[in-house]
Amino acid sequence: MTENTSNPYNINGQHFNPDMYLEKMLKECTLKQIMDNEAEIIRDTQTLHSDMQTLVYENYNKFISATDTIRKMKNDFKKMEDSMESLSSNMDSITSFSEQISSTLQGTRQQITRLSSVHTLLKKLQFLFKLPAKLKDKMNNGNYSQAVQDYIHAQRVLNQYGNMPSFQGIQKDCEEIVEELKVKLRTQFQSRDATTKSLAESVDLLLQLKEPPESLCAEFLSNAENRLTEQLKQLKDMCENDVIEFVDMGSSGFMSDLCLIVASYKDMFVNRIPLDDTEFSDDFDSKAIAKLDTFVLNNMKNYFDLIGKRIEDVGDTAILVRALDRFYRRLHAVNTLCNETDFSTTATEIVINAGRKQCRSHLHSLKQHLTEALAKVRQTLAAKVSQDGDTGLAELQASLVMPTIEKVKGVLQDLLVFLQPELMFSGKSHFLQCFCVDEVREGLVIGFLHHLTATASGFCSGSDVPKFPPTLLLLLSKMCIEFKESSVHYLLTTTDDLFNIQRHASLANFVTSESEICNNFQTAAQNLLNHYVRLQGLSVSQMLRKSVETRDWLHTIEPRTVRAVMKRVVEDVTAIELQVSALYDDSDGQIDRSSDSSRRTHSVSVSRHQYRSNWSSYTPSHLDSSLVTNIHKLFSERIEIFSSVQFNKASILTGIIKISLKTFLECVRLRTFSKYGLQQIQVDTHYLQLYLWRFVSDENLVHFLLDEILGSAVHRCLEPVLMEPSVVDIICERG
Amino acid sequence: MDTDNPIIYGLEFQARALSPQTAEADIVRFLVGTQSLKFHDNQVHLVELDEETGSLKTQVFQHSIGEIWNLQASPADPSNFITCYNTLNDEGICQMKGAIWKLPLTETDAHEIQKLENAAEIDTTTYGSDLRIITYHPTDGTKVVSVVDNNFVLWDLAASAPKAVTQGTLASKGQPKFTTGKWNPHNTCNQFVTLNDNHVRGWDFRNPTDQVWAIQSAHSQIIRDLDFNTNRQYILSTCGDDGYMKFWDIRQPSEPVMSRMEHSHWVWSIRINRFHDQLVLTSSSDSRVILCSISSISSEPFGHLISSEDEPAQTDDGSNKNKMEDSVVGRYEEHEDSVYGVEWSSADPWTFASLSYDGRLVINKVPRKYKYQILL
C-alpha cells in the first residue's frame, strides 16, 4: 500500500500531486474521458462540501451547551467554599471546649481510685482483727478444721506484716489461740477413747498447722501402741476363755484396730499428696514407713506371743485347729493389705508350733500310756511269778502291743484334723512339710518308736541284779521283734499314707527310714534277749556255784542220789522253757522233743550212746590224759559263753544252759575232790545230760561242756576213780 | 625279735600261777607254777625270753610239796619267790600253805629238773585255812601280806623266821571270805586292798582294825582280780564274773570312772602296764587275752610327751595328737582253755605272758603299730 499511499497519483492519498495527476491525465486519456473525469470530480467536490457544512452546524450547537455548563459550575463552586469555611471555624470551637472540660475533671478521679483501694484494705484488716475472736469461737464450737483453715488463710498476711506493732498483737493473739488449738487437738489426739478416725483428723489438722511430722507420727504410734497394749491386755485376761473365742477376740479387736491404725497412718503420713515440698523432707517417707514397720512388728510380735502362749495348752485338737484356722485366715487377710513384712510366715510358724506342741503332748501321752502299760504288765508278771504262771504270756505281750498301736493310730487320726482341706494353712507347703514330716512322722511316730526302743533297752542296762522279773525282758524282746516285723511297718505306712509323707518330704527333711527303726528294734530285742539269757543263766549259775562252793567235796559219802540242786536246775530250765515257748517258737525244722511222754526214753535211747562213747575213755587207767577233750577242742568251735542268741527257743535255752554249765565248770576247777566227790559230779553231770540235751539246739555242746566238767573234776580229784556207768544210770533213773 | 608272733610254751600240767620275775629288770622272765593233785609232780618253771632270737630258755624246778595256787616273785631278789600251795596233811586233809623259795644259783643243764631251796615256811594256819595269796611289798622284799579267810596278815621276813607283824580282820558277820588282796603302791605302801565277793576294801596297816574305804558292790558278781595304776595315785582297776573290767577312782567309790565289757565270760585277771598305763591286759575264761588301750585312766592320755620339747610345742602336740580313743588293741586267741593269769614283763614294758589252765604259756608283745603310736 505504501506504494499506494506514496503514490502521488492516488487522489485520496496524502502525497497526491494534482499537477502530475493532471499531466498524466492529459497525456493518456481521451477527451471524453477527461470530460467524464472532470464531471466526476466536480460532483465529488460538491458532496464533500455539503458534508462539511452539516458537520460544522452540528458541532457548533454542542460547543454552545458546553460553554453554558461551565458557566453554571463556576457559580456552584463559589457557594461551597463558603460552607467549608464555616465548618472549620465550628470545629475549632468544639476542640477548645472539650479541652476545657477534661482539665476540670482530672483531680476528682484520682481521689476516687484511692478511696476504693483503701476500702478493700480496710476490709481485710477487719477480717484480721476479727480473726482471733472467730478462731476462738470456732474452736470452742469444736469446728477445728474451719478454724485451722481460717488461720492458714490469715497466716500469710500476718507473716507479711508481722513487723507492725498492731499486727503483732493480732498475730500473737492468733498464735496463742492456735497454740491452744494445737493443745486441744493434741489432747484429742492423745485421749484414749478417741476413735481412730478422729485421731486421723486431728493429725491431719496438726499437720496443716505445721507440726513436725516426725514427732507427730511418733506420737501417733505411741498412742496407738498404748491402745493396742490395752487390747492385748484385755486379750490376755481372756486367756481362760475358749480358744476360738479368744482368737476371734484377737482378730476383731486387736487385728482390726491395728489395720485401721496402719491404714490411717499411711493415709496421713505416707501416701499424702505433698502440698509443698517443704512439708515433708525427702527421707521422711521412708523413715515413716520404717517407723510404722517397727511398730507393726512389735505389736504383731506381742500378739503372736500371746496367741502362741494361748494355743499352747489346748487339749482338743479339733478346736485348736479351728482356732488356728481362724487366726491364720485373719492374719492372711491382714497380710495382704498391711505392708511388706510377711506375717504369713510367722503365722505359719505359729501354726506349726501349735502342731508341734500338739504332737509333743500326744507323744507325751503315748509315753505315759506305755509306762502305764509296762507297769501293769510288770504287776501281772510279779503276781504270776508266785503262781508259776507261764500261760498268758502271749496275751500279756499282745496287751502291750495292740493298745499301743491303737493309741498311736488314734493320735494320728486326731492330728489329721490339721490337714482338713478347707483349712487355709493346710495348703501351705511349708506347713505341710514341717508338720507332716518333721512333727508327725519324725517327732511323733519315730520319736515314740525311739522311746519304745529306749525304754525297752533301759531294762537291760544296769547290773545283773534284776529289779524286775526276767520274764519282762523276754516279753519286751518279743514285743520289739513284733514291732520290727510288722508294727513298725504298719505304723509308718499308715502315717505315710495319712499324712502324704512322700509328697511333702523334701531334701531339707530328714526322713528316718523304716529299716533304721527296724534295726533299732532288732538291736533292742537282741539286747533284751541277751540280757534275759544272762539273767536266767546267772540265776541258774548261782545255784550251781553255791552247790559246788559250799560242799565239802573231800568228805562226802558215796553218791546215792542226784543232788537236789541238779533237779532244781532242770526244773528251772523247764520253767524257763515254758516261758520262752509261750513267746518264741522252736526254730524251723527242729523236731519237737519236748513232748512229755518221749523225753526220757528218747534221750536214753539215742543220745546216751554218743555220750557213753566219750565217757568210755575215762577208764581209770587213762584218767590222766585229757586227750579226748583236747581232741574235741581241736575240732570244735570255740564256745562263746555270753554271746548273742537267736530268736528261737532252742537258742535262748542253749544260751542259758551254756552259761550255767560254764559256771559249773569254773567252780569245779576251784575245788578238790575225793573219789566220792568225783563220783557225785559224775552222777550230777549224767543227770544233767539226760535232761538238758532236749532243750538245746546242738546237744554236742552240752556233751562237750559236761565232759569238760567231769574232766576237770577228774583233774581235781585226789583219787580219780569213776563209777560204773550202769550204776550212774540207775541212780539217775531213780532220781 | 622283730615279729609280733606269739611264743608258746607248753607245760605238762594244769597251771594257774604266773608271775614275772619282778626284781629282774633286764631279762624277760616269768615264773609259772603248776597245779596237779599228784603233789609230787608239781613244778616251777622259769621261762626266759631271748629277745634277740625270740627263743625261750626254760628251767624247771621241783615243787613236790603241793599244787601251786599262787606264786609271787620277790621285788628285791630275783631268786626269791613265794608260793601258796595245796598239800595233804598227815590226816589226809587238804591244807593251804605258804613258803618262800630260793632258786638255785648254779645254772646247770636246763633239761634237768632242779631242786628248789626252801627259804622259809609262812604258816598261816593259825589265821585260817583258806590261804589265798601271799604277796610281796611292791618294793621291799622283807615284807609280805598273806590273805587268809577273813584276815590279812603283814609278815616281816627280815628276821630268821617270818614273823606276823600286823593283822587285819574283816569282822562283820555274814561277809564272804577274802578272795585276794594287793598292796597299794602309793602312799608309801601303807595300804592294802582286799577283795571279797563283789566288794573292794582298802585298809591301812597303821590302823588295820577298820577299813579305810570300800567300794561296795563294785561288780554285780564276784570280783576276781584288781590292779593299781602305778602312775596315777587313786586309779584302781577291777574285773570279775560279770565280764566287766572297771576302773575306779577310790576317792569316788560310788561310780566307776569307766567300765567296759570285752570278754564273753568271766574276767580272771587284770593288769595295768607300769610304764604305759593306758595299756590294760585282761584274761578270761573265754580263753582270750585282751589288750586294751584305756587312755581315760592314763597318766599320759595324749601319748608319750617328750619332756625336752618346749612349752608351746608341747601344747601344740597336745592339740594335734588327740587323746587316743579307748579301744581294744589286741585280742589274743592262742589259748584253748580258760586263761587265769596274765602278767606284764618286769623287764620289757611291751612284753606280756598269759597262762591258761591247760598249761599253755603264751608270750606276746604289744602290737608294733600301737607301740609306735604311744612312743611317737
Side-chain angles (χ1 to χ4, degrees):
Chain A
M1 274 288 272
T2 14
E3 284 166 273
N4 270 1
T5 56
S6 58
N7 189 358
Y9 302 112
N10 186 0
I11 210 160
N12 290 330
Q14 271 180 335
H15 300 288
F16 176 73
N17 199 332
D19 289 341
M20 284 172 62
Y21 179 77
L22 213 41
E23 269 175 40
K24 195 185 165 190
M25 259 328 211
L26 282 164
K27 276 177 203 173
E28 290 172 14
C29 302
T30 68
L31 191 49
K32 194 59 195 42
Q33 277 174 335
I34 297 167
M35 288 301 277
D36 288 343
N37 204 355
E38 197 218 345
E40 199 182 324
I41 286 170
I42 291 163
R43 231 187 345 193
D44 278 350
T45 313
Q46 280 173 341
T47 344
L48 270 173
H49 193 66
S50 72
D51 277 356
M52 273 298 264
Q53 260 183 332
T54 51
L55 201 72
V56 169
Y57 277 131
E58 266 176 21
N59 279 335
Y60 184 75
N61 271 342
K62 276 182 186 175
F63 183 74
I64 297 229
S65 72
T67 320
D68 284 353
T69 311
I70 285 166
R71 206 174 281 139
K72 222 177 130 188
M73 266 180 69
K74 218 174 195 176
N75 274 341
D76 285 355
F77 269 119
K78 220 162 222 165
K79 272 189 205 166
M80 218 160 73
E81 198 169 297
D82 289 347
S83 303
M84 279 307 283
E85 252 167 41
S86 85
L87 180 68
S88 88
S89 71
N90 278 350
M91 279 309 286
D92 276 350
S93 74
I94 286 169
T95 317
S96 69
F97 271 129
S98 129
E99 267 169 17
Q100 230 180 320
I101 289 167
S102 72
S103 66
T104 27
L105 285 180
Q106 182 89 17
T108 335
R109 199 167 51 217
Q110 275 173 1
Q111 228 175 337
I112 287 173
T113 327
R114 230 184 62 218
L115 279 176
S116 83
S117 76
V118 165
H119 177 75
T120 42
L121 194 66
L122 282 177
K123 234 181 169 174
K124 278 188 190 171
L125 284 179
Q126 193 186 20
F127 172 74
L128 281 182
F129 284 125
K130 276 188 183 167
L131 184 64
K134 231 160 113 190
L135 284 178
K136 202 156 211 167
D137 212 31
K138 281 178 179 165
M139 196 175 71
N140 289 341
N141 286 341
N143 198 352
Y144 299 123
S145 64
Q146 194 71 44
V148 170
Q149 212 112 81
D150 284 355
Y151 174 72
I152 286 172
H153 226 70
Q155 201 179 26
R156 214 155 5 130
V157 185
L158 285 174
N159 281 346
Q160 201 174 342
Y161 297 101
N163 46 357
M164 286 187 203
S166 54
F167 284 111
Q168 266 174 3
I170 294 173
Q171 192 174 16
K172 220 165 130 195
D173 282 358
C174 280
E175 271 166 10
E176 270 169 22
I177 292 168
V178 167
E179 222 42 64
E180 201 182 323
L181 179 64
K182 281 182 189 171
V183 171
K184 277 208 168 179
L185 281 174
R186 290 225 166 178
T187 48
Q188 183 184 347
F189 177 72
Q190 279 160 8
S191 75
R192 305 210 145 198
D193 43 331
T195 62
T196 313
K197 207 163 170 194
S198 75
L199 261 182
E201 204 183 87
S202 310
V203 169
D204 192 40
L205 292 179
L206 282 170
L207 273 177
Q208 285 186 29
L209 290 175
K210 303 234 168 132
E211 283 292 284
E214 280 89 356
S215 76
L216 269 186
C217 64
E219 206 166 319
F220 178 80
L221 287 182
S222 79
N223 274 335
E225 178 115 44
N226 283 341
R227 281 188 308 129
L228 289 180
T229 321
E230 193 95 332
Q231 286 207 323
L232 282 178
K233 209 182 267 170
Q234 272 179 24
L235 212 53
K236 206 175 215 163
D237 296 340
M238 298 238 333
C239 265
E240 274 78 53
N241 291 26
D242 178 51
V243 67
I244 294 184
E245 211 173 292
F246 177 81
V247 168
D248 279 353
M249 173 84 176
S251 300
S252 59
F254 176 84
M255 285 309 294
S256 41
D257 241 35
L258 185 68
C259 284
L260 203 56
I261 285 166
V262 168
S264 52
Y265 181 91
K266 278 191 169 171
D267 281 350
M268 279 184 279
F269 299 109
V270 184
N271 293 338
R272 245 185 125 91
I273 307 142
L275 294 175
D276 51 305
D277 291 30
T278 50
E279 195 167 352
F280 294 121
S281 53
D282 289 341
D283 58 343
F284 174 72
D285 250 23
S286 55
K287 262 193 209 162
I289 289 183
K291 253 183 212 168
L292 180 67
D293 282 354
T294 48
F295 165 77
V296 172
L297 276 180
N298 276 341
N299 279 291
M300 287 310 276
K301 191 175 155 287
N302 291 340
Y303 180 57
F304 286 152
D305 283 353
L306 204 59
I307 290 279
K309 222 177 273 169
R310 176 62 185 95
I311 57 178
E312 264 182 13
D313 49 345
V314 180
D316 190 331
T317 316
I319 289 178
L320 173 71
V321 165
R322 257 168 60 208
L324 282 175
D325 187 44
R326 285 192 190 187
F327 162 75
Y328 189 81
R329 269 174 208 277
R330 176 66 185 151
L331 212 60
H332 199 74
V334 170
N335 197 40
T336 46
L337 64 88
C338 210
N339 54 6
E340 298 86 21
T341 336
D342 194 12
F343 289 119
S344 73
T345 12
T346 328
T348 317
E349 217 53 59
I350 284 186
V351 175
I352 290 174
N353 272 339
R356 180 178 304 143
K357 184 80 197 163
Q358 207 63 15
C359 287
R360 297 264 159 86
S361 76
H362 276 313
L363 181 60
H364 187 70
S365 71
L366 280 179
K367 286 180 179 174
Q368 222 153 24
H369 172 258
L370 181 71
T371 321
E372 279 162 20
L374 275 178
K376 223 163 86 190
V377 167
R378 278 175 73 167
Q379 246 168 17
T380 326
L381 280 180
K384 274 200 169 176
V385 160
S386 47
Q387 303 163 17
D388 195 36
D390 34 55
T391 51
L393 270 184
E395 289 95 73
L396 212 54
Q397 189 255 339
S399 81
L400 204 52
V401 175
M402 288 322 291
T404 308
I405 297 210
E406 286 307 316
K407 192 99 180 154
V408 172
K409 260 168 70 186
V411 163
L412 288 179
Q413 282 301 340
D414 188 33
L415 287 175
L416 215 51
V417 181
F418 271 94
L419 295 189
Q420 283 165 355
E422 68 266 22
L423 298 178
M424 194 166 181
F425 53 74
S426 71
K428 284 263 169 191
S429 69
H430 177 61
F431 165 75
L432 288 175
Q433 204 173 315
C434 285
F435 180 72
C436 293
V437 183
D438 289 349
E439 302 308 335
V440 176
R441 190 181 193 272
E442 295 299 307
L444 182 72
V445 180
I446 300 286
F448 178 65
L449 292 177
H450 275 308
H451 174 75
L452 202 58
T453 46
T455 313
S457 302
F459 282 99
C460 56
S461 64
S463 66
D464 292 342
V465 188
K467 300 174 198 70
F468 42 83
T471 324
L472 182 67
L473 293 173
L474 194 67
L475 213 60
L476 284 173
S477 120
K478 181 65 182 173
M479 180 193 78
C480 285
I481 282 291
E482 202 144 292
F483 262 95
K484 179 218 153 200
E485 271 162 6
S486 60
S487 306
V488 168
H489 179 74
Y490 174 70
L491 280 179
L492 286 185
T493 41
T494 311
T495 313
D496 289 1
D497 286 351
L498 286 179
F499 289 88
N500 226 334
I501 299 296
Q502 295 273 293
R503 200 153 59 81
H504 301 317
S506 72
L507 284 176
N509 298 110
F510 178 73
V511 180
T512 318
S513 67
E514 192 187 312
S515 62
E516 189 185 328
I517 296 295
C518 284
N519 283 343
N520 280 352
F521 273 103
Q522 171 79 43
T523 326
Q526 186 73 64
N527 286 342
L528 284 164
L529 198 60
N530 288 349
H531 199 60
Y532 171 75
V533 167
R534 221 185 130 140
L535 284 184
Q536 295 289 30
L538 185 66
S539 72
V540 177
S541 300
Q542 221 66 283
M543 271 189 306
L544 287 167
R545 181 206 289 264
K546 281 271 137 52
S547 79
V548 176
E549 279 178 358
T550 50
R551 199 177 170 105
D552 183 358
W553 292 101
L554 283 171
H555 303 93
T556 183
I557 51 158
E558 189 171 3
R560 307 228 175 273
T561 58
V562 177
R563 282 188 299 149
V565 168
M566 296 302 151
K567 293 181 181 166
R568 180 76 200 280
V569 165
V570 172
E571 273 166 25
D572 277 13
V573 172
T574 313
I576 291 168
E577 190 223 7
L578 265 174
Q579 277 184 354
V580 173
S581 62
L583 292 174
Y584 285 99
D585 304 329
D586 269 331
S587 63
D588 328 287
Q590 220 174 352
I591 39 160
D592 181 22
R593 297 188 275 183
S594 56
S595 72
D596 270 23
S597 56
S598 66
R599 55 155 92 150
R600 279 291 310 279
T601 47
H602 183 83
S603 92
V604 170
S605 58
V606 179
S607 64
R608 196 179 293 175
H609 293 296
Q610 257 177 306
Y611 194 40
R612 191 55 47 69
S613 64
N614 279 349
W615 287 85
S616 56
S617 63
Y618 288 119
T619 52
S621 56
H622 292 97
L623 270 177
D624 269 346
S625 111
S626 53
L627 192 69
V628 174
T629 45
N630 280 337
I631 287 173
H632 194 121
K633 272 182 197 165
L634 269 178
F635 294 105
S636 63
E637 298 263 311
R638 188 187 285 267
I639 299 170
E640 299 292 342
I641 304 301
F642 296 158
S643 61
S644 275
V645 295
Q646 285 155 359
F647 294 95
N648 61 57
K649 195 180 76 186
S651 176
I652 294 168
L653 286 165
T654 308
I656 294 168
I657 290 170
K658 235 165 34 175
I659 292 174
S660 314
L661 293 186
K662 180 75 175 176
T663 306
F664 196 4
L665 170 69
E666 291 296 336
C667 291
V668 162
R669 285 182 175 183
L670 289 171
R671 304 289 298 181
T672 311
F673 296 88
S674 67
K675 183 174 96 184
Y676 294 137
L678 172 66
Q679 288 177 354
Q680 181 68 62
I681 294 292
Q682 185 188 5
V683 168
D684 289 351
T685 51
H686 187 71
Y687 180 82
L688 288 180
Q689 164 67 24
L690 283 181
Y691 286 94
L692 288 184
W693 69 273
R694 69 191 176 88
F695 296 115
V696 303
S697 49
D698 176 15
E699 51 189 285
N700 285 327
L701 186 85
V702 177
H703 297 170
F704 171 67
L705 280 169
L706 290 172
D707 269 358
E708 283 272 281
I709 292 168
L710 190 57
S712 293
V714 168
H715 278 301
R716 298 298 311 149
C717 183
L718 292 167
E719 189 189 346
V721 179
L722 282 171
M723 236 179 191
E724 266 304 304
S726 55
V727 181
V728 175
D729 268 351
I730 290 164
I731 293 176
C732 288
E733 294 285 336
R734 250 199 342 231
Chain B
M1 191 183 80
D2 275 351
T3 57
D4 283 340
N5 289 336
I7 301 149
I8 299 176
Y9 175 66
L11 282 74
E12 296 162 56
F13 304 99
Q14 266 87 9
R16 279 177 191 266
L18 171 71
S19 170
Q21 199 176 30
T22 319
E24 178 59 65
D26 298 322
I27 309 167
V28 177
R29 273 185 185 155
F30 292 98
L31 286 160
V32 185
T34 65
Q35 192 182 25
S36 167
L37 281 172
K38 293 194 170 140
F39 298 122
H40 191 73
D41 292 344
N42 283 300
Q43 298 162 340
V44 172
H45 290 237
L46 178 64
V47 181
E48 180 181 322
L49 173 69
D50 186 335
E51 288 192 86
E52 295 296 318
T53 63
S55 61
L56 289 180
K57 198 168 91 184
T58 53
Q59 282 177 272
V60 184
F61 305 97
Q62 211 164 23
H63 188 277
S64 51
I65 193 165
E67 56 163 0
I68 304 168
W69 282 82
N70 197 292
L71 190 153
Q72 298 279 318
S74 159
D77 184 349
S79 61
N80 276 8
F81 64 92
I82 294 176
T83 59
C84 298
Y85 58 90
N86 178 26
T87 187
L88 272 181
N89 65 6
D90 302 334
E91 290 106 56
I93 294 170
C94 281
Q95 206 171 27
M96 287 297 290
K97 285 187 170 173
I100 305 173
W101 304 92
K102 206 169 173 60
L103 294 168
L105 290 172
T106 49
E107 276 200 39
T108 51
D109 186 11
H111 298 294
E112 204 172 298
I113 295 180
Q114 301 167 59
K115 279 226 159 65
L116 284 170
E117 184 188 329
N118 187 339
E121 294 276 347
I122 300 176
D123 186 10
T124 59
T125 43
T126 49
Y127 302 100
S129 59
D130 214 352
L131 173 63
R132 284 316 181 107
I133 192 172
I134 300 177
T135 176
Y136 273 106
H137 185 279
T139 51
D140 187 348
T142 63
K143 285 181 183 164
V144 294
V145 171
S146 63
V147 178
V148 194
D149 280 1
N150 57 346
N151 302 306
F152 62 93
V153 186
L154 175 64
W155 300 80
D156 188 0
L157 307 182
S160 54
K163 199 177 81 190
V165 181
T166 318
Q167 178 194 356
T169 306
L170 180 62
S172 50
K173 287 235 165 147
Q175 283 285 357
K177 296 172 184 175
F178 287 136
T179 51
T180 186
K182 197 159 200 130
W183 290 79
N184 183 345
H186 302 289
N187 297 332
T188 64
C189 304
N190 276 319
Q191 286 192 9
F192 195 74
V193 177
T194 60
L195 299 177
N196 70 324
D197 197 21
N198 55 355
H199 310 296
V200 186
R201 295 169 202 279
W203 308 82
D204 196 314
F205 289 119
R206 292 164 293 196
N207 180 19
T209 48
D210 294 305
Q211 70 191 37
V212 183
W213 52 264
I215 304 173
Q216 302 279 358
S217 303
H219 287 251
S220 57
Q221 296 173 51
I222 289 181
I223 306 176
R224 292 288 171 185
D225 195 17
L226 83 162
D227 198 20
F228 278 94
N229 184 338
T230 47
N231 303 322
R232 279 185 76 187
Q233 203 175 357
Y234 302 105
I235 298 296
L236 167 75
S237 65
T238 55
C239 62
D241 282 6
D242 56 0
Y244 278 95
M245 57 167 137
K246 297 191 179 183
F247 297 90
W248 304 85
D249 186 325
I250 57 176
R251 293 165 295 187
Q252 285 161 338
S254 54
E255 280 293 313
V257 178
M258 73 163 303
S259 69
R260 288 175 77 95
M261 180 167 166
E262 302 291 349
H263 287 287
S264 69
H265 201 239
W266 307 349
V267 185
W268 283 82
S269 174
I270 186 163
R271 287 291 178 269
I272 302 176
N273 194 301
R274 278 167 59 199
F275 304 96
H276 306 287
D277 48 17
Q278 60 269 64
L279 296 174
V280 179
L281 281 172
T282 49
S283 73
S284 153
S285 37
D286 66 356
S287 326
R288 284 198 187 87
V289 174
I290 290 182
L291 173 62
C292 283
S293 163
I294 313 288
S295 300
S296 333
I297 56 108
S298 170
S299 55
E300 292 175 345
F302 301 108
H304 187 66
L305 292 180
I306 297 148
S307 51
S308 63
E309 266 181 321
D310 295 333
E311 199 57 36
Q314 248 181 15
T315 54
D316 238 306
D317 199 39
S319 58
N320 286 341
K321 204 169 185 173
N322 291 328
K323 187 167 165 175
M324 279 187 260
E325 290 276 309
D326 293 348
S327 61
V328 173
V329 176
R331 278 174 202 277
Y332 302 93
E333 315 220 344
E334 286 82 21
H335 294 289
E336 280 164 10
D337 204 337
S338 304
V339 188
Y340 295 127
V342 66
E343 291 285 353
W344 289 101
S345 162
S346 57
D348 175 20
W350 309 107
T351 307
F352 58 90
S354 52
L355 180 67
S356 56
Y357 189 62
D358 55 6
R360 182 178 294 183
L361 178 77
V362 180
I363 298 180
N364 263 303
K365 294 204 171 219
V366 175
R368 192 166 299 266
K369 182 170 149 259
Y370 191 74
K371 179 172 161 182
Y372 292 142
Q373 207 178 330
I374 292 178
L375 286 178
L376 299 178

